[in-house]
Amino acid sequence: MNATSSIRAAPAPDNVRPAPLDHEVVIVGLGFAGMYALHCLREQGFDVHAFEAADGPGGCWYWNRYPGARCDVPSLSYSYSFSEPLQQEWQWTEKYAGQPEILAYANHVMDRFELRSHSTFGTRVVSAVFDDQACTWTVTLDNGRLVVTRFLIAAVGALSTSRIPQWPGQSEFSGQILHTGEWPHEPVDFTGKRVGVIGTGSSGIQIIPKMAQSAEQVVVFQRTANFSVPARNAPLSDDEQAQTKSRYGEIRQLQRLSFAGAIHPGTGKSVLEAADAERSAELESRWQAGGTAFMAAYNDILFNDDSNALVADFVRSKIQEIVTDPVTAEKLTPKGHPIGAKRICVDTEYFDTFNRPNVDLVDVNADPITGFGANGIRTQTQEFALDAVVFATGYDAMTGSLTRLGIVGAGGVSLKQAWSAGPRTYLGVAVNGFPNLLIATGPGSPSVMVNGVMAGEQHAQWFAELLAHLREQGATRIEAKPEDQQLWVDHVNEAASKTLFPKANSWYMGANIPGKPRMFMPYTGGMNVYNQKCADVAADNYAGFEIS
């Protein structure tokens, strides 16, 4: 990919008087990428302001308040690396932090770096339209206010547009309907209630064991059985934290040089190179240790069908061991997709929960949901009386939160129209036809494949350096070149084709949204490769961009 950049002069006609700027940069979203982008740009001396639909920072961790919501990346890794004092002063309590603790961390960062005075909460962006003559974005807020900015950074997150399916009769249901991604701020008491849960992805796997502890009955409606490994969560001791903090610099560098932004040492072998006893011992050891490091045991689990099958069979055997009823165990055993091709889940006693007498499992492939009634859910063969229904049905991932912003580019074409056949980006951060728009952790970047905080941090830093470069050049416009965008799209597709990821109908592919184009959206080349590519582009005068 021989990307090149160019700088051209394009003075505005004398009779064009651009509207005055309200801010040089507007950021949409205050998750981890947006917060750090705000900090970086302030440090660079930019007039920058952030707008956030929620009433506080944290992105998905603001909204996902359901019981059991927890990160699947170790706390000491799922945190900012840019400030050594911040790293040293914050004390995590658990190996895998729960939602309340992560949200507290986000608020601490906002206050520690005095970001609130440059932020507006409880305000949603409803459109953003580019003025080609003035080379500015006009951002419309849901309160009717217009904000004019030179540069627009969309840091709206890959998993922030909830998908709530609609069934016949749903509005007639007399009970409570909840979505894990839009959970109430006040506690929801399921004690003594009959609860239906639709979906067994990450959020379903986390919430089902929690609800089963108090509900009278939990009915789980499963479309696809998922692979999950135990978390083995535990409190973090002072000694563990001190050991990590004493060498945080080295650890962070290793994270950046890793495939997924987290340090998961492997054997360095193919699964096929290990003898049966050796392989079983290695996988058993990782199963007992817990966490996604299980998938890092061998170097070809996600690249070779035969290797993947051996690891998948190990997990299937564990499910069969844990779940006592053979019929239920068979329903819970994943089939038809490689392990890891759908995001690997991490759980606390998920499979054990189906041994409880108050938990029932419905396979909606064999017995589909036909609709709701006033008192519950109907399938083709059964009726379930329910007091509440929880949708654990995920998100319009990667693109949904971007296309709903009402972004309209230089030619009057919306981002939704431009991506009608699937998202196309350069480096996952820019889109031809949409000048001065930068996307954090967008499609075509590692994004959801890696440690989200480190991915957001890398983009925020890169954006700040890019805009500082433009300021030095006296440039006011930057746009991805179409030929270099195409080269990047081809590279993203080629990288995915070398893996087993496209073999699953996952949200990575947009398969959970009816009518959404099927294409593998994240970059699978690894955080290490991606970081180097971004550094190379910057060093080459931002090759692949037209700068004017």
Side-chain angles (χ1 to χ4, degrees), residues 27 268 273 324 326-327 348 364 382 424 486 498 515 541 546:
I27 299 168
E273 291 174 5
T324 54
V327 175
T348 299
V364 299
Q382 302 176 81
R424 302 171 62 80
Q486 184 60 52
K498 294 178 179 177
N541 198 29
E546 182 97 12

Side-chain angles (χ1 to χ4, degrees), residues 46-369:
F46 284 96
D47 173 12
V48 55
H49 198 86
F51 295 94
E52 168 57 58
D55 290 330
C60 64
W61 296 109
Y62 176 90
W63 300 104
N64 284 262
R65 298 166 181 257
Y66 61 87
R70 188 174 299 281
C71 189
D72 59 5
V73 179
S75 309
L76 290 165
S77 296
Y78 191 81
S79 51
Y80 286 123
S81 67
F82 70 88
S83 167
E84 184 61 18
L86 174 64
Q87 292 191 131
Q88 294 299 324
E89 72 195 19
W90 185 262
Q91 290 289 111
W92 295 101
T93 66
E94 294 180 284
K95 178 183 177 182
Y96 297 106
Q99 178 272 338
E101 190 167 13
I102 298 172
L103 188 60
Y105 176 72
N107 278 286
H108 173 74
V109 170
M110 287 291 294
D111 294 331
R112 194 192 194 288
F113 297 99
E114 300 178 347
L115 302 179
R116 293 188 192 274
S117 59
H118 297 267
S119 307
T120 300
F121 293 102
T123 304
R124 186 177 294 278
V125 170
V126 296
S127 71
V129 179
F130 188 74
D131 184 325
D132 205 19
Q133 288 187 314
C135 197
T136 58
W137 286 95
T138 299
V139 178
T140 303
L141 307 177
D142 59 359
N143 59 13
R145 181 185 166 200
L146 303 182
V147 180
V148 179
T149 183
R150 178 73 66 204
F151 300 100
L152 180 66
I153 295 177
V156 289
L159 298 171
S160 55
T161 301
S162 300
R163 174 181 177 255
I164 303 180
Q166 294 295 319
W167 274 281
Q170 196 164 310
S171 62
E172 300 170 12
F173 179 56
S174 60
Q176 190 174 20
I177 292 180
L178 301 159
H179 190 287
T180 52
E182 298 177 5
W183 203 260
H185 288 203
E186 63 278 1
V188 180
D189 186 6
F190 292 109
T191 302
K193 292 185 177 180
R194 301 161 300 176
V195 186
V197 182
I198 301 175
T200 53
S202 293
S203 58
I205 281 173
Q206 288 184 331
I207 196 173
I208 288 165
K210 288 290 186 181
M211 289 194 306
Q213 293 171 10
S214 60
E216 177 185 321
Q217 180 188 27
V218 176
V219 182
V220 178
F221 297 90
Q222 173 188 272
R223 181 184 63 179
T224 304
N226 269 318
F227 290 100
S228 185
V229 296
R232 313 289 187 205
N233 192 33
L236 272 176
S237 69
D238 291 342
D239 285 347
E240 286 177 284
Q241 299 209 53
Q243 287 175 18
T244 296
K245 291 180 177 184
S246 68
R247 47 190 291 264
Y248 239 148
E250 173 193 351
I251 289 170
R252 295 304 197 181
Q253 185 59 14
L254 289 172
Q255 283 182 251
R256 294 185 192 97
L257 294 174
S258 70
F259 181 85
I263 305 169
H264 294 322
T267 61
K269 291 181 176 182
S270 160
V271 178
L272 304 176
E273 291 174 5
D276 290 352
E278 177 190 352
R279 182 181 67 252
S280 295
E282 179 67 32
L283 295 177
E284 181 65 31
S285 172
R286 288 174 182 260
W287 180 269
Q288 295 303 326
T292 56
F294 178 87
M295 293 297 294
Y298 297 98
N299 59 20
D300 61 346
I301 296 175
L302 289 169
F303 298 91
N304 182 287
D305 282 304
D306 293 335
S307 297
N308 186 280
L310 290 168
V311 177
D313 283 345
F314 175 88
V315 176
R316 292 185 184 112
S317 71
K318 286 294 184 182
I319 297 169
Q320 300 284 336
E321 287 176 17
I322 295 168
V323 182
T324 54
D325 175 56
V327 175
T328 303
E330 187 61 24
K331 289 180 183 178
L332 288 167
T333 300
K335 305 174 187 71
H337 67 274
I339 185 171
K342 290 175 178 277
R343 185 177 176 90
I344 190 76
C345 296
V346 177
D347 71 88
T348 299
E349 298 182 347
Y350 172 67
F351 295 112
D352 307 73
T353 297
F354 289 90
N355 294 328
R356 298 177 65 107
N358 65 329
V359 178
D360 298 301
L361 180 64
V362 179
D363 177 359
V364 299
N365 291 306
D367 191 13
I369 294 173

Side-chain angles (χ1 to χ4, degrees), residues 493-515:
N493 290 336
E494 180 187 16
S497 71
K498 294 178 179 177
T499 74
L500 303 181
F501 285 109
K503 293 194 172 189
N505 290 322
S506 67
W507 55 259
Y508 293 143
M509 299 282 292
N512 63 321
I513 305 295

